[in-house]
Amino acid sequence: MSHLFSTYLRWEIEPIEAWGSYLKSKDGTQYLDFTSGIGVCNLGHKPPSVKKAVEKQLNQFWHVSNLYESSSQELAALKLANASGLDYVFFSNSGAEANEAAIKLARKATGKSKVITFHQSFHGRTFAAMSATGQEKIKEGYGPLLDTFIHAPFNDLEYISSIMDYSIAAVMIEVVQGEGGVYVGTQDFLKGVERLCKQYGALLIIDEIQTGIGRTGENFAYQHFQINPDIVTVAKGLASGFPIGAVIGKSHLASVFGPGSHGSTFGGNPISIAAAIATMDEVFKRDFLQIVKEKGAYLIGNLQRDLSQTSLVRDVRGMGMIIGIELNHKAQAYIKELQNYNLLVLPAGEKVIRLLPPLTASKEEMDQAVSRITHILSAIEIGERHPIQPY
């Protein structure tokens, strides 16, 4: 009997070791891991530079309090500010906490309460973040949620124009909807939303929890579109697996989050901050990001080419190293078959296989993944169970 709440539909895989793009399970099976801990291990598992930084901090201290000065938090905040073009940072423990803080910041700064979010969006499972999320399955059974969120169709600028007015505190948007199905915002839509925010005095919040820290080939995904947000949230890839989140905001918001206005006991933990600094030192290099763009184009292009004749596949889309393969059937059975073929991938919505490989994955590893995906999707139909020989 397990004493864990069954909040996760767990795979029958227990990891005991991981390195680079690979994960080894308790039964000795070695997997090519194209989940990266759901977009967390952007530098692969156990990157040496991050390990070194964490070990150094472990020998100094693990926790004190945010009542003390912290030069390491200051350095991490500076790196985020420089990478984003924004000014001030608050550190939390997770993406959901970062989004909660962003919502609080926007409401307090504007004196307004309504926030527009989008269908298929995912902003977290805490109460406000869950209310903001545009997926009903996340909300089932929890009773009345916050009624200040307005959910709109994604990539529909005409609809947003019809509901936007001076009562809106903020628009909160993912440039690429990761959990919702890997839907990429269009240039016209994203720039149009930015324009409407300025017109009506609303703040623009970009949720970069899954797409930030180099995942798309820029520091942040919104930078592909020359957008100038007021608030950016980040978490997953920031510290290579150590728990952390952050809210990054413009200078005009500094006075809103003054002493006592918000806080977190563990936010900006010294070990997580050390990991974040080491991670950013590698990811925020222009040469590194250019290679990520090239790898992403290579992987998407090869998938589109090799899956183009597979009737099961409706679409292959993405940006950089976040990629969705939309099927004509539910994806879960195919994800399981890919595990049998020693490849780990993720769902995104009901019918999408999502790939989040390490940004450090080699072309050879990407070729292996494309080969295995093509084999499974070409050989198996829903309801059939052909024996697949593992690698």
Side-chain angles (χ1 to χ4, degrees), residues 42 78-86 175 206-225 232-235 237-238 248 279-290 292-293 319 359:
N42 283 5
L78 175 63
K79 289 180 181 295
L80 283 172
N82 288 341
S84 65
L86 278 68
V175 171
I206 304 290
D207 178 340
E208 292 268 3
I209 304 303
Q210 190 163 142
T211 53
I213 318 300
R215 174 57 55 183
T216 66
E218 292 286 353
N219 297 331
F220 301 96
Y222 69 84
Q223 292 169 332
H224 290 276
F225 302 93
V232 174
T233 57
V234 63
L238 181 54
I248 319 168
T279 300
M280 289 188 282
D281 281 344
E282 291 202 34
V283 172
F284 290 160
K285 294 176 180 176
R286 295 314 306 173
D287 289 349
F288 182 91
L289 292 168
Q290 181 58 37
V292 171
K293 287 182 185 177
M319 177 180 286
L359 307 185

Side-chain angles (χ1 to χ4, degrees), residues 167-198:
S167 70
I168 303 299
V171 177
M172 189 173 192
I173 190 168
E174 300 160 284
V175 171
V176 183
Q177 294 184 321
E179 300 293 328
V182 193
Y183 294 103
V184 182
T186 66
Q187 177 80 39
D188 288 347
F189 173 68
L190 295 169
K191 293 295 288 184
V193 169
E194 179 186 34
R195 183 177 66 252
L196 288 167
C197 285
K198 290 180 180 178

Side-chain angles (χ1 to χ4, degrees), residues 35-109:
T35 73
S36 301
I38 313 184
V40 168
C41 302
N42 283 5
L43 294 174
H45 294 287
K46 292 191 307 187
S49 61
V50 178
K51 182 181 178 183
K52 181 179 179 181
V54 167
E55 287 175 342
K56 180 180 178 181
Q57 184 62 50
L58 281 168
N59 289 322
Q60 294 173 330
F61 59 92
W62 301 358
H63 174 81
V64 281
S65 165
N66 281 318
L67 296 174
Y68 296 98
E69 296 285 343
S70 173
S71 59
S72 60
Q73 281 191 13
E74 291 285 358
L75 178 57
L78 175 63
K79 289 180 181 295
L80 283 172
N82 288 341
S84 65
L86 278 68
D87 302 291
Y88 287 89
V89 175
F90 171 84
F91 287 109
S92 64
N93 301 292
S94 68
E97 286 186 24
N99 284 337
E100 290 275 339
I103 293 164
K104 287 177 65 175
L105 179 59
R107 288 176 54 140
K108 191 175 183 188

Side-chain angles (χ1 to χ4, degrees), residues 17-24 30-36 41-47 295 321 342-344 356-366 368-369 372:
E17 188 179 0
W19 64 96
S21 301
Y22 295 93
L23 181 152
K24 185 178 180 181
Q30 180 174 306
Y31 296 91
L32 181 58
D33 182 7
F34 269 37
T35 73
S36 301
C41 302
N42 283 5
L43 294 174
H45 294 287
K46 292 191 307 187
K295 287 179 179 179
M321 301 286 265
N342 299 37
L343 176 65
L344 303 178
L356 292 167
L359 307 185
T360 52
S362 67
K363 285 189 174 181
E364 291 75 18
E365 289 165 346
M366 290 188 286
Q368 289 178 32
R372 298 181 198 188

Side-chain angles (χ1 to χ4, degrees), residues 232-361:
V232 174
T233 57
V234 63
K236 286 183 180 292
L238 181 54
S240 293
F242 289 86
I244 195 170
V247 180
I248 319 168
K250 284 186 173 178
S251 59
H252 69 86
L253 300 170
S255 63
V256 180
F257 261 12
S261 60
H262 194 55
S264 172
T265 297
F266 295 107
N269 170 270
I271 297 168
S272 294
I273 287 289
I277 291 169
T279 300
M280 289 188 282
D281 281 344
E282 291 202 34
V283 172
F284 290 160
K285 294 176 180 176
R286 295 314 306 173
D287 289 349
F288 182 91
L289 292 168
Q290 181 58 37
I291 291 170
V292 171
K293 287 182 185 177
E294 293 169 2
K295 287 179 179 179
Y298 178 84
L299 182 53
I300 292 172
N302 285 358
L303 286 166
Q304 289 173 336
R305 180 197 66 207
D306 290 3
L307 297 176
S308 62
Q309 301 304 311
T310 305
S311 61
L312 188 66
V313 176
R314 294 185 61 183
D315 191 22
V316 176
R317 56 180 177 262
M319 177 180 286
M321 301 286 265
I322 175 170
I323 300 165
I325 304 168
E326 185 175 358
L327 308 179
N328 291 311
H329 300 285
K330 293 182 179 179
Q332 195 61 50
Y334 296 92
I335 291 170
K336 176 61 177 174
E337 292 294 347
L338 286 166
Q339 291 175 8
N340 294 337
Y341 219 36
N342 299 37
L343 176 65
L344 303 178
V345 296
L346 293 159
E350 194 171 61
K351 296 183 178 180
V352 176
I353 295 172
R354 179 175 30 152
L355 308 183
L356 292 167
L359 307 185
T360 52

Side-chain angles (χ1 to χ4, degrees), residues 125 127 130-131 135-145:
R125 294 180 182 272
F127 207 74
M130 178 175 62
S131 299
Q135 299 184 51
E136 287 305 312
K137 67 180 182 180
I138 303 298
K139 308 175 185 182
E140 291 175 359
Y142 292 104
L145 300 179

